[in-house]
Amino acid sequence: MIIKREDGRFYNQIRSVYLQYDVFSYADASVLFEIGKTKVLTSVTLQSTVPHFLKGQKSGWLTAEYSMLPCSTHKRTIREVNQNRRNFRGIEISRLIGRCLRCVVDLSLIPDKSIIIDCDVLQADGGTRVASITAASLALELAVKRWMEKGIIKENILKEHIAAISVGVLNDKHILDLSYVEDSQADSDFNFIFTASERLIEIQGTAEKNSLPWKEFEKLKNIALDGIKQLFLECRKFSVNVNLEKKEKKKEDRICRISKKSPLFSIGNRTEKEI
């Protein structure tokens, strides 16, 4: 008999994925990325400036900012601005996102320009950092295409697409894409970041309770690779009909409607007859 997890998934199955592009009108590209109950909103912008250490170096830069909204967790998270200090976890994840994306961007092709990635967690149920990396890669892919269309950049600066997934050991079972409950109870857990061609970008992880035999790590690596393939496949289903050119909305009467797929409000147009 095949035993399933609490949410009905098989051990080697990722959670359901949903994407919505161009949530923000003013960003060069934005993506609402949902995997299970985890929801991350990511945007990409390009600025004509670089950090001081790159002045005159004929190179561009890419940086990321990660934060969790106050009610993204069961217990309200205090905003950083009210703590008068940066959240160390947020700093570490921000650096991780930027580091991973810099591995696949040719910064020499955007001298004196900086790519800014903003990742905001709307709802956290495990895997927010890997969800942010995947969402950032998707948003950056669309932004790069638009910059090329507009002549802002002359050639494709994105060498590879990346995605990230979590794996772990729970009750002697090797499981893929951990929810918060699974992550909090796991004997060990790891985050894998791979390119679409299965080249490794980074691994983060630890044995929480007991040491992990090397052969067990090999199993987790293989499960992670399978999960990355599933993730790329699911994400491509949503990117087929994305418009490169963001069209201006018609000046019609507009109302807010609730999307069936997402809890966010989206803007819809209605004619006088419909109203």
Side-chain angles (χ1 to χ4, degrees), residues 237-250:
K237 295 178 181 178
F238 293 90
S239 61
V240 176
N241 298 318
V242 178
N243 292 321
L244 288 184
E245 187 66 32
K246 289 191 286 187
K247 297 179 180 179
E248 290 187 8
K249 298 184 183 294
K250 294 180 180 179

Side-chain angles (χ1 to χ4, degrees), residues 5 7-10 12-19 32-40 125-126 131 165 176-179 230-231 233-235 237-238 261:
R5 292 147 80 171
D7 58 9
R9 285 185 292 149
F10 295 107
N12 62 347
Q13 184 180 7
I14 66 172
R15 291 172 286 180
S16 60
V17 172
Y18 172 72
L19 292 181
L32 169 64
F33 179 80
E34 301 182 14
I35 183 163
K37 295 180 181 179
T38 291
K39 299 176 175 65
V40 177
D125 186 38
I165 201 73
L176 177 67
D177 187 20
L178 283 69
S179 66
Q230 293 180 45
L231 198 51
L233 184 62
E234 290 299 310
C235 290
K237 295 178 181 178
F238 293 90
K261 291 287 186 179

Side-chain angles (χ1 to χ4, degrees), residues 128-195:
T128 61
R129 72 182 64 198
V130 291
S132 296
I133 292 169
T134 303
S137 179
L138 291 166
L140 181 59
E141 177 187 4
L142 180 57
V144 168
K145 289 178 180 178
R146 285 175 172 164
W147 296 334
M148 291 175 63
E149 282 283 315
K150 295 178 180 179
I152 297 173
I153 59 176
K154 295 180 179 180
E155 54 186 299
N156 189 2
I157 63 173
L158 195 57
K159 296 179 284 188
E160 282 239 53
H161 306 306
I162 66 174
I165 201 73
S166 64
V167 293
V169 179
L170 177 63
N171 298 327
D172 298 323
K173 300 290 185 182
H174 299 81
I175 58 177
L176 177 67
D177 187 20
L178 283 69
S179 66
Y180 172 75
V181 172
E182 292 171 333
D183 181 66
S184 62
Q185 298 176 356
D187 296 319
S188 61
D189 62 272
F190 294 84
N191 298 312
F192 282 84
I193 300 95
F194 282 102
T195 68

Side-chain angles (χ1 to χ4, degrees), residues 18-184:
Y18 172 72
L19 292 181
Q20 183 180 339
Y21 284 88
D22 290 330
V23 178
F24 292 126
S25 297
Y26 302 137
D28 294 327
S30 59
V31 171
L32 169 64
F33 179 80
E34 301 182 14
I35 183 163
K37 295 180 181 179
T38 291
K39 299 176 175 65
V40 177
L41 187 55
T42 302
S43 61
V44 177
T45 51
L46 187 66
Q47 297 182 355
S48 298
T49 182
V50 290
H52 65 89
F53 60 85
L54 286 176
K55 295 287 186 180
Q57 299 298 313
K58 296 182 179 180
S59 175
W61 184 243
L62 184 149
T63 187
E65 291 188 16
Y66 165 99
S67 65
M68 301 182 71
L69 296 187
C71 291
S72 60
T73 53
H74 292 286
K75 182 180 179 181
R76 185 183 182 277
T77 301
I78 302 174
R79 295 183 189 272
E80 288 184 356
V81 68
N82 293 328
Q83 298 183 60
N84 294 319
R85 63 181 177 85
R86 288 292 307 276
N87 179 280
F88 292 116
R89 178 179 178 274
I91 293 172
E92 185 261 324
I93 296 177
S94 296
R95 290 174 176 171
L96 169 67
I97 298 168
R99 189 166 63 242
C100 290
L101 287 169
R102 285 194 294 271
C103 284
V104 292
V105 173
D106 189 344
L107 295 172
S108 67
L109 298 177
I110 53 169
D112 301 319
K113 290 183 172 62
S114 292
I115 298 171
I116 314 296
I117 310 288
D118 287 293
C119 299
D120 291 291
V121 178
L122 307 184
Q123 184 167 288
D125 186 38
T128 61
R129 72 182 64 198
V130 291
S132 296
I133 292 169
T134 303
S137 179
L138 291 166
L140 181 59
E141 177 187 4
L142 180 57
V144 168
K145 289 178 180 178
R146 285 175 172 164
W147 296 334
M148 291 175 63
E149 282 283 315
K150 295 178 180 179
I152 297 173
I153 59 176
K154 295 180 179 180
E155 54 186 299
N156 189 2
I157 63 173
L158 195 57
K159 296 179 284 188
E160 282 239 53
H161 306 306
I162 66 174
I165 201 73
S166 64
V167 293
V169 179
L170 177 63
N171 298 327
D172 298 323
K173 300 290 185 182
H174 299 81
I175 58 177
L176 177 67
D177 187 20
L178 283 69
S179 66
Y180 172 75
V181 172
E182 292 171 333
D183 181 66
S184 62

